[in-house]
PDB file of all heavy atoms in Angstrom:
ATOM      1  N   LYS U   1     -13.156   9.964   1.348  1.00 94.00           N
ATOM      2  CA  LYS U   1     -13.477  11.234   0.714  1.00 94.00           C
ATOM      3  C   LYS U   1     -12.528  11.519  -0.447  1.00 94.00           C
ATOM      4  O   LYS U   1     -12.953  11.978  -1.522  1.00 94.00           O
ATOM      5  CB  LYS U   1     -13.414  12.360   1.747  1.00 94.00           C
ATOM      6  CG  LYS U   1     -13.788  13.730   1.197  1.00 94.00           C
ATOM      7  CD  LYS U   1     -13.750  14.783   2.297  1.00 94.00           C
ATOM      8  CE  LYS U   1     -14.116  16.162   1.747  1.00 94.00           C
ATOM      9  NZ  LYS U   1     -14.081  17.193   2.832  1.00 94.00           N
ATOM     10  N   LEU U   2     -11.241  11.256  -0.248  1.00 94.00           N
ATOM     11  CA  LEU U   2     -10.268  11.472  -1.317  1.00 94.00           C
ATOM     12  C   LEU U   2     -10.488  10.498  -2.474  1.00 94.00           C
ATOM     13  O   LEU U   2     -10.298  10.868  -3.639  1.00 94.00           O
ATOM     14  CB  LEU U   2      -8.851  11.327  -0.769  1.00 94.00           C
ATOM     15  CG  LEU U   2      -8.354  12.468   0.132  1.00 94.00           C
ATOM     16  CD1 LEU U   2      -7.001  12.117   0.751  1.00 94.00           C
ATOM     17  CD2 LEU U   2      -8.253  13.766  -0.665  1.00 94.00           C
ATOM     18  N   VAL U   3     -10.896   9.273  -2.163  1.00 94.00           N
ATOM     19  CA  VAL U   3     -11.187   8.301  -3.215  1.00 94.00           C
ATOM     20  C   VAL U   3     -12.347   8.798  -4.071  1.00 94.00           C
ATOM     21  O   VAL U   3     -12.301   8.733  -5.312  1.00 94.00           O
ATOM     22  CB  VAL U   3     -11.507   6.918  -2.616  1.00 94.00           C
ATOM     23  CG1 VAL U   3     -11.996   5.963  -3.711  1.00 94.00           C
ATOM     24  CG2 VAL U   3     -10.274   6.335  -1.922  1.00 94.00           C
ATOM     25  N   ARG U   4     -13.400   9.298  -3.412  1.00 93.00           N
ATOM     26  CA  ARG U   4     -14.559   9.801  -4.162  1.00 93.00           C
ATOM     27  C   ARG U   4     -14.196  11.025  -4.993  1.00 93.00           C
ATOM     28  O   ARG U   4     -14.701  11.213  -6.098  1.00 93.00           O
ATOM     29  CB  ARG U   4     -15.695  10.145  -3.189  1.00 93.00           C
ATOM     30  CG  ARG U   4     -16.337   8.933  -2.515  1.00 93.00           C
ATOM     31  CD  ARG U   4     -17.620   9.328  -1.805  1.00 93.00           C
ATOM     32  NE  ARG U   4     -17.390  10.306  -0.740  1.00 93.00           N
ATOM     33  CZ  ARG U   4     -17.126   9.988   0.519  1.00 93.00           C
ATOM     34  NH1 ARG U   4     -17.045   8.694   0.872  1.00 93.00           N
ATOM     35  NH2 ARG U   4     -16.952  10.928   1.423  1.00 93.00           N
ATOM     36  N   ARG U   5     -13.291  11.834  -4.479  1.00 91.00           N
ATOM     37  CA  ARG U   5     -12.923  13.065  -5.166  1.00 91.00           C
ATOM     38  C   ARG U   5     -12.068  12.804  -6.400  1.00 91.00           C
ATOM     39  O   ARG U   5     -12.215  13.467  -7.432  1.00 91.00           O
ATOM     40  CB  ARG U   5     -12.174  13.991  -4.208  1.00 91.00           C
ATOM     41  CG  ARG U   5     -11.761  15.312  -4.822  1.00 91.00           C
ATOM     42  CD  ARG U   5     -10.894  16.105  -3.876  1.00 91.00           C
ATOM     43  NE  ARG U   5     -11.568  16.349  -2.596  1.00 91.00           N
ATOM     44  CZ  ARG U   5     -10.952  16.842  -1.526  1.00 91.00           C
ATOM     45  NH1 ARG U   5      -9.643  17.120  -1.578  1.00 91.00           N
ATOM     46  NH2 ARG U   5     -11.614  17.050  -0.410  1.00 91.00           N
ATOM     47  N   SER U   6     -11.149  11.836  -6.310  1.00 90.00           N
ATOM     48  CA  SER U   6     -10.218  11.601  -7.416  1.00 90.00           C
ATOM     49  C   SER U   6      -9.742  10.155  -7.380  1.00 90.00           C
ATOM     50  O   SER U   6      -9.143   9.730  -6.395  1.00 90.00           O
ATOM     51  CB  SER U   6      -9.018  12.540  -7.310  1.00 90.00           C
ATOM     52  OG  SER U   6      -8.039  12.237  -8.284  1.00 90.00           O
ATOM     53  N   ASP U   7     -10.034   9.408  -8.443  1.00 92.00           N
ATOM     54  CA  ASP U   7      -9.589   8.018  -8.519  1.00 92.00           C
ATOM     55  C   ASP U   7      -9.027   7.741  -9.911  1.00 92.00           C
ATOM     56  O   ASP U   7      -9.770   7.567 -10.878  1.00 92.00           O
ATOM     57  CB  ASP U   7     -10.748   7.059  -8.226  1.00 92.00           C
ATOM     58  CG  ASP U   7     -10.294   5.604  -8.262  1.00 92.00           C
ATOM     59  OD1 ASP U   7      -9.076   5.369  -8.352  1.00 92.00           O
ATOM     60  OD2 ASP U   7     -11.171   4.711  -8.209  1.00 92.00           O
ATOM     61  N   PRO U   8      -7.685   7.683 -10.037  1.00 92.00           N
ATOM     62  CA  PRO U   8      -7.081   7.356 -11.335  1.00 92.00           C
ATOM     63  C   PRO U   8      -7.233   5.886 -11.715  1.00 92.00           C
ATOM     64  O   PRO U   8      -6.785   5.478 -12.785  1.00 92.00           O
ATOM     65  CB  PRO U   8      -5.608   7.727 -11.139  1.00 92.00           C
ATOM     66  CG  PRO U   8      -5.384   7.649  -9.668  1.00 92.00           C
ATOM     67  CD  PRO U   8      -6.678   8.049  -9.023  1.00 92.00           C
ATOM     68  N   GLU U   9      -7.846   5.072 -10.816  1.00 93.00           N
ATOM     69  CA  GLU U   9      -8.083   3.657 -11.072  1.00 93.00           C
ATOM     70  C   GLU U   9      -6.786   2.944 -11.457  1.00 93.00           C
ATOM     71  O   GLU U   9      -6.647   2.379 -12.542  1.00 93.00           O
ATOM     72  CB  GLU U   9      -9.156   3.469 -12.144  1.00 93.00           C
ATOM     73  CG  GLU U   9     -10.511   4.036 -11.722  1.00 93.00           C
ATOM     74  CD  GLU U   9     -11.621   3.693 -12.691  1.00 93.00           C
ATOM     75  OE1 GLU U   9     -11.327   3.081 -13.738  1.00 93.00           O
ATOM     76  OE2 GLU U   9     -12.780   4.021 -12.390  1.00 93.00           O
ATOM     77  N   ALA U  10      -5.843   2.982 -10.530  1.00 95.00           N
ATOM     78  CA  ALA U  10      -4.529   2.384 -10.759  1.00 95.00           C
ATOM     79  C   ALA U  10      -4.148   1.500  -9.580  1.00 95.00           C
ATOM     80  O   ALA U  10      -4.512   1.768  -8.431  1.00 95.00           O
ATOM     81  CB  ALA U  10      -3.472   3.467 -10.957  1.00 95.00           C
ATOM     82  N   PHE U  11      -3.420   0.437  -9.893  1.00 96.00           N
ATOM     83  CA  PHE U  11      -2.764  -0.350  -8.851  1.00 96.00           C
ATOM     84  C   PHE U  11      -1.412   0.291  -8.547  1.00 96.00           C
ATOM     85  O   PHE U  11      -0.757   0.851  -9.427  1.00 96.00           O
ATOM     86  CB  PHE U  11      -2.532  -1.788  -9.309  1.00 96.00           C
ATOM     87  CG  PHE U  11      -3.761  -2.638  -9.344  1.00 96.00           C
ATOM     88  CD1 PHE U  11      -4.274  -3.081 -10.549  1.00 96.00           C
ATOM     89  CD2 PHE U  11      -4.426  -2.988  -8.172  1.00 96.00           C
ATOM     90  CE1 PHE U  11      -5.413  -3.867 -10.595  1.00 96.00           C
ATOM     91  CE2 PHE U  11      -5.567  -3.773  -8.203  1.00 96.00           C
ATOM     92  CZ  PHE U  11      -6.058  -4.211  -9.405  1.00 96.00           C
ATOM     93  N   HIS U  12      -1.014   0.194  -7.293  1.00 96.00           N
ATOM     94  CA  HIS U  12       0.313   0.636  -6.888  1.00 96.00           C
ATOM     95  C   HIS U  12       1.048  -0.532  -6.252  1.00 96.00           C
ATOM     96  O   HIS U  12       0.483  -1.249  -5.414  1.00 96.00           O
ATOM     97  CB  HIS U  12       0.246   1.787  -5.887  1.00 96.00           C
ATOM     98  CG  HIS U  12       1.562   2.066  -5.238  1.00 96.00           C
ATOM     99  ND1 HIS U  12       2.541   2.805  -5.852  1.00 96.00           N
ATOM    100  CD2 HIS U  12       2.084   1.646  -4.050  1.00 96.00           C
ATOM    101  CE1 HIS U  12       3.610   2.846  -5.066  1.00 96.00           C
ATOM    102  NE2 HIS U  12       3.358   2.147  -3.965  1.00 96.00           N
ATOM    103  N   LEU U  13       2.304  -0.726  -6.634  1.00 96.00           N
ATOM    104  CA  LEU U  13       3.181  -1.699  -5.987  1.00 96.00           C
ATOM    105  C   LEU U  13       4.421  -0.965  -5.511  1.00 96.00           C
ATOM    106  O   LEU U  13       4.960  -0.111  -6.231  1.00 96.00           O
ATOM    107  CB  LEU U  13       3.611  -2.817  -6.940  1.00 96.00           C
ATOM    108  CG  LEU U  13       2.544  -3.749  -7.499  1.00 96.00           C
ATOM    109  CD1 LEU U  13       1.882  -3.161  -8.724  1.00 96.00           C
ATOM    110  CD2 LEU U  13       3.172  -5.110  -7.850  1.00 96.00           C
ATOM    111  N   SER U  14       4.882  -1.295  -4.314  1.00 96.00           N
ATOM    112  CA  SER U  14       6.138  -0.763  -3.792  1.00 96.00           C
ATOM    113  C   SER U  14       7.043  -1.925  -3.434  1.00 96.00           C
ATOM    114  O   SER U  14       6.655  -2.795  -2.639  1.00 96.00           O
ATOM    115  CB  SER U  14       5.920   0.090  -2.542  1.00 96.00           C
ATOM    116  OG  SER U  14       5.296   1.305  -2.846  1.00 96.00           O
ATOM    117  N   LEU U  15       8.238  -1.954  -4.022  1.00 97.00           N
ATOM    118  CA  LEU U  15       9.257  -2.926  -3.632  1.00 97.00           C
ATOM    119  C   LEU U  15      10.133  -2.257  -2.585  1.00 97.00           C
ATOM    120  O   LEU U  15      10.818  -1.269  -2.863  1.00 97.00           O
ATOM    121  CB  LEU U  15      10.099  -3.336  -4.843  1.00 97.00           C
ATOM    122  CG  LEU U  15      11.283  -4.262  -4.552  1.00 97.00           C
ATOM    123  CD1 LEU U  15      10.816  -5.613  -4.029  1.00 97.00           C
ATOM    124  CD2 LEU U  15      12.145  -4.438  -5.810  1.00 97.00           C
ATOM    125  N   LEU U  16      10.117  -2.786  -1.369  1.00 96.00           N
ATOM    126  CA  LEU U  16      10.875  -2.192  -0.270  1.00 96.00           C
ATOM    127  C   LEU U  16      12.324  -2.669  -0.327  1.00 96.00           C
ATOM    128  O   LEU U  16      12.598  -3.868  -0.244  1.00 96.00           O
ATOM    129  CB  LEU U  16      10.240  -2.574   1.070  1.00 96.00           C
ATOM    130  CG  LEU U  16      10.808  -1.931   2.327  1.00 96.00           C
ATOM    131  CD1 LEU U  16      10.632  -0.417   2.283  1.00 96.00           C
ATOM    132  CD2 LEU U  16      10.136  -2.506   3.574  1.00 96.00           C
ATOM    133  N   LEU U  17      13.251  -1.734  -0.476  1.00 97.00           N
ATOM    134  CA  LEU U  17      14.675  -2.053  -0.559  1.00 97.00           C
ATOM    135  C   LEU U  17      15.433  -1.697   0.708  1.00 97.00           C
ATOM    136  O   LEU U  17      16.506  -2.247   0.976  1.00 97.00           O
ATOM    137  CB  LEU U  17      15.306  -1.319  -1.748  1.00 97.00           C
ATOM    138  CG  LEU U  17      14.735  -1.676  -3.121  1.00 97.00           C
ATOM    139  CD1 LEU U  17      15.404  -0.849  -4.208  1.00 97.00           C
ATOM    140  CD2 LEU U  17      14.891  -3.165  -3.415  1.00 97.00           C
ATOM    141  N   ARG U  18      14.887  -0.751   1.481  1.00 95.00           N
ATOM    142  CA  ARG U  18      15.518  -0.386   2.758  1.00 95.00           C
ATOM    143  C   ARG U  18      14.440   0.158   3.679  1.00 95.00           C
ATOM    144  O   ARG U  18      13.531   0.860   3.247  1.00 95.00           O
ATOM    145  CB  ARG U  18      16.601   0.684   2.541  1.00 95.00           C
ATOM    146  CG  ARG U  18      17.365   1.035   3.824  1.00 95.00           C
ATOM    147  CD  ARG U  18      18.422   2.079   3.568  1.00 95.00           C
ATOM    148  NE  ARG U  18      17.845   3.379   3.237  1.00 95.00           N
ATOM    149  CZ  ARG U  18      18.543   4.517   3.231  1.00 95.00           C
ATOM    150  NH1 ARG U  18      19.828   4.506   3.520  1.00 95.00           N
ATOM    151  NH2 ARG U  18      17.958   5.660   2.920  1.00 95.00           N
ATOM    152  N   GLY U  19      14.530  -0.191   4.965  1.00 92.00           N
ATOM    153  CA  GLY U  19      13.571   0.304   5.936  1.00 92.00           C
ATOM    154  C   GLY U  19      12.470  -0.701   6.214  1.00 92.00           C
ATOM    155  O   GLY U  19      12.607  -1.904   5.975  1.00 92.00           O
ATOM    156  N   GLU U  20      11.336  -0.206   6.689  1.00 90.00           N
ATOM    157  CA  GLU U  20      10.222  -1.068   7.036  1.00 90.00           C
ATOM    158  C   GLU U  20       8.928  -0.278   6.936  1.00 90.00           C
ATOM    159  O   GLU U  20       8.938   0.960   6.903  1.00 90.00           O
ATOM    160  CB  GLU U  20      10.377  -1.622   8.457  1.00 90.00           C
ATOM    161  CG  GLU U  20      10.498  -0.533   9.516  1.00 90.00           C
ATOM    162  CD  GLU U  20      10.816  -1.089  10.884  1.00 90.00           C
ATOM    163  OE1 GLU U  20      11.272  -2.249  10.969  1.00 90.00           O
ATOM    164  OE2 GLU U  20      10.599  -0.369  11.873  1.00 90.00           O
ATOM    165  N   GLY U  21       7.804  -0.993   6.886  1.00 89.00           N
ATOM    166  CA  GLY U  21       6.524  -0.315   6.801  1.00 89.00           C
ATOM    167  C   GLY U  21       5.378  -1.252   7.126  1.00 89.00           C
ATOM    168  O   GLY U  21       5.542  -2.479   7.151  1.00 89.00           O
ATOM    169  N   GLU U  22       4.212  -0.665   7.379  1.00 88.00           N
ATOM    170  CA  GLU U  22       3.006  -1.450   7.609  1.00 88.00           C
ATOM    171  C   GLU U  22       1.818  -0.713   7.015  1.00 88.00           C
ATOM    172  O   GLU U  22       1.858   0.516   6.826  1.00 88.00           O
ATOM    173  CB  GLU U  22       2.782  -1.689   9.107  1.00 88.00           C
ATOM    174  CG  GLU U  22       2.616  -0.427   9.920  1.00 88.00           C
ATOM    175  CD  GLU U  22       2.422  -0.721  11.398  1.00 88.00           C
ATOM    176  OE1 GLU U  22       2.723  -1.852  11.815  1.00 88.00           O
ATOM    177  OE2 GLU U  22       1.967   0.183  12.116  1.00 88.00           O
ATOM    178  N   ALA U  23       0.773  -1.473   6.698  1.00 89.00           N
ATOM    179  CA  ALA U  23      -0.402  -0.896   6.050  1.00 89.00           C
ATOM    180  C   ALA U  23      -1.664  -1.450   6.686  1.00 89.00           C
ATOM    181  O   ALA U  23      -1.678  -2.576   7.200  1.00 89.00           O
ATOM    182  CB  ALA U  23      -0.391  -1.201   4.557  1.00 89.00           C
ATOM    183  N   VAL U  24      -2.725  -0.642   6.626  1.00 84.00           N
ATOM    184  CA  VAL U  24      -4.017  -1.031   7.193  1.00 84.00           C
ATOM    185  C   VAL U  24      -5.104  -0.702   6.182  1.00 84.00           C
ATOM    186  O   VAL U  24      -5.154   0.412   5.641  1.00 84.00           O
ATOM    187  CB  VAL U  24      -4.301  -0.280   8.513  1.00 84.00           C
ATOM    188  CG1 VAL U  24      -5.672  -0.658   9.054  1.00 84.00           C
ATOM    189  CG2 VAL U  24      -3.223  -0.568   9.544  1.00 84.00           C
ATOM    190  N   TRP U  25      -5.967  -1.671   5.886  1.00 80.00           N
ATOM    191  CA  TRP U  25      -7.167  -1.482   5.084  1.00 80.00           C
ATOM    192  C   TRP U  25      -8.346  -1.977   5.930  1.00 80.00           C
ATOM    193  O   TRP U  25      -8.603  -3.183   5.990  1.00 80.00           O
ATOM    194  CB  TRP U  25      -7.142  -2.306   3.803  1.00 80.00           C
ATOM    195  CG  TRP U  25      -6.015  -2.017   2.874  1.00 80.00           C
ATOM    196  CD1 TRP U  25      -6.037  -1.212   1.785  1.00 80.00           C
ATOM    197  CD2 TRP U  25      -4.690  -2.559   2.920  1.00 80.00           C
ATOM    198  NE1 TRP U  25      -4.820  -1.205   1.154  1.00 80.00           N
ATOM    199  CE2 TRP U  25      -3.972  -2.028   1.837  1.00 80.00           C
ATOM    200  CE3 TRP U  25      -4.040  -3.451   3.790  1.00 80.00           C
ATOM    201  CZ2 TRP U  25      -2.641  -2.348   1.593  1.00 80.00           C
ATOM    202  CZ3 TRP U  25      -2.731  -3.762   3.554  1.00 80.00           C
ATOM    203  CH2 TRP U  25      -2.039  -3.222   2.465  1.00 80.00           C
ATOM    204  N   GLY U  26      -9.002  -1.088   6.628  1.00 73.00           N
ATOM    205  CA  GLY U  26     -10.093  -1.525   7.502  1.00 73.00           C
ATOM    206  C   GLY U  26      -9.566  -2.468   8.565  1.00 73.00           C
ATOM    207  O   GLY U  26      -8.715  -2.117   9.374  1.00 73.00           O
ATOM    208  N   ARG U  27     -10.054  -3.721   8.561  1.00 70.00           N
ATOM    209  CA  ARG U  27      -9.598  -4.709   9.543  1.00 70.00           C
ATOM    210  C   ARG U  27      -8.377  -5.486   9.071  1.00 70.00           C
ATOM    211  O   ARG U  27      -7.828  -6.295   9.816  1.00 70.00           O
ATOM    212  CB  ARG U  27     -10.731  -5.698   9.837  1.00 70.00           C
ATOM    213  CG  ARG U  27     -11.958  -5.058  10.483  1.00 70.00           C
ATOM    214  CD  ARG U  27     -13.019  -6.103  10.749  1.00 70.00           C
ATOM    215  NE  ARG U  27     -14.194  -5.511  11.373  1.00 70.00           N
ATOM    216  CZ  ARG U  27     -15.284  -6.208  11.700  1.00 70.00           C
ATOM    217  NH1 ARG U  27     -15.344  -7.506  11.439  1.00 70.00           N
ATOM    218  NH2 ARG U  27     -16.309  -5.596  12.261  1.00 70.00           N
ATOM    219  N   GLN U  28      -7.949  -5.254   7.845  1.00 74.00           N
ATOM    220  CA  GLN U  28      -6.813  -5.981   7.280  1.00 74.00           C
ATOM    221  C   GLN U  28      -5.523  -5.209   7.531  1.00 74.00           C
ATOM    222  O   GLN U  28      -5.468  -3.987   7.345  1.00 74.00           O
ATOM    223  CB  GLN U  28      -7.030  -6.172   5.778  1.00 74.00           C
ATOM    224  CG  GLN U  28      -5.976  -7.027   5.091  1.00 74.00           C
ATOM    225  CD  GLN U  28      -6.263  -7.178   3.604  1.00 74.00           C
ATOM    226  OE1 GLN U  28      -7.205  -6.569   3.075  1.00 74.00           O
ATOM    227  NE2 GLN U  28      -5.465  -7.975   2.922  1.00 74.00           N
ATOM    228  N   GLN U  29      -4.484  -5.928   7.978  1.00 76.00           N
ATOM    229  CA  GLN U  29      -3.198  -5.312   8.261  1.00 76.00           C
ATOM    230  C   GLN U  29      -2.088  -6.155   7.650  1.00 76.00           C
ATOM    231  O   GLN U  29      -2.227  -7.365   7.473  1.00 76.00           O
ATOM    232  CB  GLN U  29      -2.956  -5.189   9.767  1.00 76.00           C
ATOM    233  CG  GLN U  29      -3.947  -4.304  10.490  1.00 76.00           C
ATOM    234  CD  GLN U  29      -3.611  -4.181  11.971  1.00 76.00           C
ATOM    235  OE1 GLN U  29      -2.714  -4.837  12.479  1.00 76.00           O
ATOM    236  NE2 GLN U  29      -4.333  -3.326  12.664  1.00 76.00           N
ATOM    237  N   ALA U  30      -0.967  -5.520   7.331  1.00 82.00           N
ATOM    238  CA  ALA U  30       0.202  -6.243   6.823  1.00 82.00           C
ATOM    239  C   ALA U  30       1.455  -5.453   7.158  1.00 82.00           C
ATOM    240  O   ALA U  30       1.448  -4.221   7.130  1.00 82.00           O
ATOM    241  CB  ALA U  30       0.095  -6.459   5.318  1.00 82.00           C
ATOM    242  N   ALA U  31       2.514  -6.165   7.495  1.00 83.00           N
ATOM    243  CA  ALA U  31       3.827  -5.555   7.732  1.00 83.00           C
ATOM    244  C   ALA U  31       4.759  -6.013   6.621  1.00 83.00           C
ATOM    245  O   ALA U  31       4.624  -7.128   6.090  1.00 83.00           O
ATOM    246  CB  ALA U  31       4.370  -5.960   9.087  1.00 83.00           C
ATOM    247  N   TYR U  32       5.727  -5.156   6.287  1.00 87.00           N
ATOM    248  CA  TYR U  32       6.584  -5.421   5.144  1.00 87.00           C
ATOM    249  C   TYR U  32       8.054  -5.319   5.540  1.00 87.00           C
ATOM    250  O   TYR U  32       8.445  -4.441   6.306  1.00 87.00           O
ATOM    251  CB  TYR U  32       6.285  -4.435   4.010  1.00 87.00           C
ATOM    252  CG  TYR U  32       4.848  -4.494   3.557  1.00 87.00           C
ATOM    253  CD1 TYR U  32       3.888  -3.688   4.145  1.00 87.00           C
ATOM    254  CD2 TYR U  32       4.454  -5.408   2.587  1.00 87.00           C
ATOM    255  CE1 TYR U  32       2.565  -3.758   3.759  1.00 87.00           C
ATOM    256  CE2 TYR U  32       3.131  -5.498   2.195  1.00 87.00           C
ATOM    257  CZ  TYR U  32       2.189  -4.672   2.783  1.00 87.00           C
ATOM    258  OH  TYR U  32       0.868  -4.768   2.416  1.00 87.00           O
ATOM    259  N   GLY U  33       8.842  -6.238   4.971  1.00 87.00           N
ATOM    260  CA  GLY U  33      10.281  -6.226   5.178  1.00 87.00           C
ATOM    261  C   GLY U  33      11.011  -6.040   3.870  1.00 87.00           C
ATOM    262  O   GLY U  33      10.406  -5.840   2.811  1.00 87.00           O
ATOM    263  N   ILE U  34      12.329  -6.124   3.941  1.00 93.00           N
ATOM    264  CA  ILE U  34      13.165  -5.908   2.769  1.00 93.00           C
ATOM    265  C   ILE U  34      12.816  -6.933   1.674  1.00 93.00           C
ATOM    266  O   ILE U  34      12.651  -8.112   1.942  1.00 93.00           O
ATOM    267  CB  ILE U  34      14.647  -6.014   3.134  1.00 93.00           C
ATOM    268  CG1 ILE U  34      15.002  -5.011   4.237  1.00 93.00           C
ATOM    269  CG2 ILE U  34      15.535  -5.792   1.899  1.00 93.00           C
ATOM    270  CD1 ILE U  34      14.736  -3.585   3.856  1.00 93.00           C
ATOM    271  N   ARG U  35      12.685  -6.446   0.436  1.00 94.00           N
ATOM    272  CA  ARG U  35      12.364  -7.232  -0.753  1.00 94.00           C
ATOM    273  C   ARG U  35      10.943  -7.779  -0.724  1.00 94.00           C
ATOM    274  O   ARG U  35      10.640  -8.743  -1.426  1.00 94.00           O
ATOM    275  CB  ARG U  35      13.373  -8.362  -0.937  1.00 94.00           C
ATOM    276  CG  ARG U  35      14.728  -7.881  -1.457  1.00 94.00           C
ATOM    277  CD  ARG U  35      14.729  -7.753  -2.963  1.00 94.00           C
ATOM    278  NE  ARG U  35      15.915  -7.055  -3.464  1.00 94.00           N
ATOM    279  CZ  ARG U  35      16.281  -7.026  -4.739  1.00 94.00           C
ATOM    280  NH1 ARG U  35      15.555  -7.628  -5.649  1.00 94.00           N
ATOM    281  NH2 ARG U  35      17.345  -6.359  -5.117  1.00 94.00           N
ATOM    282  N   ASP U  36      10.073  -7.166   0.058  1.00 93.00           N
ATOM    283  CA  ASP U  36       8.645  -7.455  -0.028  1.00 93.00           C
ATOM    284  C   ASP U  36       7.980  -6.419  -0.927  1.00 93.00           C
ATOM    285  O   ASP U  36       8.406  -5.260  -0.970  1.00 93.00           O
ATOM    286  CB  ASP U  36       7.974  -7.387   1.351  1.00 93.00           C
ATOM    287  CG  ASP U  36       8.237  -8.611   2.199  1.00 93.00           C
ATOM    288  OD1 ASP U  36       8.609  -9.661   1.628  1.00 93.00           O
ATOM    289  OD2 ASP U  36       8.078  -8.520   3.425  1.00 93.00           O
ATOM    290  N   PHE U  37       6.930  -6.853  -1.630  1.00 95.00           N
ATOM    291  CA  PHE U  37       6.080  -5.933  -2.380  1.00 95.00           C
ATOM    292  C   PHE U  37       4.857  -5.578  -1.546  1.00 95.00           C
ATOM    293  O   PHE U  37       4.208  -6.455  -0.971  1.00 95.00           O
ATOM    294  CB  PHE U  37       5.589  -6.564  -3.687  1.00 95.00           C
ATOM    295  CG  PHE U  37       6.566  -6.531  -4.812  1.00 95.00           C
ATOM    296  CD1 PHE U  37       7.294  -7.660  -5.151  1.00 95.00           C
ATOM    297  CD2 PHE U  37       6.767  -5.374  -5.553  1.00 95.00           C
ATOM    298  CE1 PHE U  37       8.183  -7.645  -6.204  1.00 95.00           C
ATOM    299  CE2 PHE U  37       7.659  -5.345  -6.602  1.00 95.00           C
ATOM    300  CZ  PHE U  37       8.373  -6.485  -6.934  1.00 95.00           C
ATOM    301  N   HIS U  38       4.556  -4.297  -1.474  1.00 92.00           N
ATOM    302  CA  HIS U  38       3.289  -3.819  -0.930  1.00 92.00           C
ATOM    303  C   HIS U  38       2.388  -3.476  -2.110  1.00 92.00           C
ATOM    304  O   HIS U  38       2.831  -2.851  -3.076  1.00 92.00           O
ATOM    305  CB  HIS U  38       3.519  -2.589  -0.054  1.00 92.00           C
ATOM    306  CG  HIS U  38       2.331  -1.701   0.071  1.00 92.00           C
ATOM    307  ND1 HIS U  38       1.230  -2.047   0.816  1.00 92.00           N
ATOM    308  CD2 HIS U  38       2.044  -0.494  -0.481  1.00 92.00           C
ATOM    309  CE1 HIS U  38       0.323  -1.087   0.725  1.00 92.00           C
ATOM    310  NE2 HIS U  38       0.793  -0.132  -0.056  1.00 92.00           N
ATOM    311  N   VAL U  39       1.121  -3.901  -2.057  1.00 94.00           N
ATOM    312  CA  VAL U  39       0.181  -3.658  -3.143  1.00 94.00           C
ATOM    313  C   VAL U  39      -1.034  -2.918  -2.605  1.00 94.00           C
ATOM    314  O   VAL U  39      -1.639  -3.332  -1.611  1.00 94.00           O
ATOM    315  CB  VAL U  39      -0.284  -4.982  -3.793  1.00 94.00           C
ATOM    316  CG1 VAL U  39      -1.280  -4.699  -4.920  1.00 94.00           C
ATOM    317  CG2 VAL U  39       0.905  -5.775  -4.324  1.00 94.00           C
ATOM    318  N   ASN U  40      -1.383  -1.807  -3.238  1.00 93.00           N
ATOM    319  CA  ASN U  40      -2.648  -1.159  -2.922  1.00 93.00           C
ATOM    320  C   ASN U  40      -3.286  -0.647  -4.206  1.00 93.00           C
ATOM    321  O   ASN U  40      -2.779  -0.871  -5.306  1.00 93.00           O
ATOM    322  CB  ASN U  40      -2.487  -0.061  -1.860  1.00 93.00           C
ATOM    323  CG  ASN U  40      -1.699   1.141  -2.349  1.00 93.00           C
ATOM    324  OD1 ASN U  40      -1.799   1.546  -3.503  1.00 93.00           O
ATOM    325  ND2 ASN U  40      -0.900   1.723  -1.467  1.00 93.00           N
TER     326      ASN U  40
END
């Protein structure tokens, strides 16, 4: 719903320098560690 409402049509990259994170796109999942790039 938010995508339909507003889409700046941009890629986002995050370089993780401290901490940890994980992401889910439907059935796709990924976990991230230090000095990994997350792309959405």
Side-chain angles (χ1 to χ4, degrees):
K1 182 178 180 180
L2 287 173
V3 172
R4 291 192 298 270
R5 181 187 303 169
S6 174
D7 182 8
E9 298 188 356
F11 286 112
H12 168 81
L13 296 84
S14 289
L15 175 64
L16 186 62
L17 299 178
R18 184 180 68 166
E20 58 187 18
E22 60 181 16
V24 178
W25 300 262
R27 296 180 180 179
Q28 185 180 5
Q29 297 182 354
Y32 302 90
I34 303 301
R35 285 276 169 167
D36 283 340
F37 279 102
H38 155 73
V39 179
N40 68 36

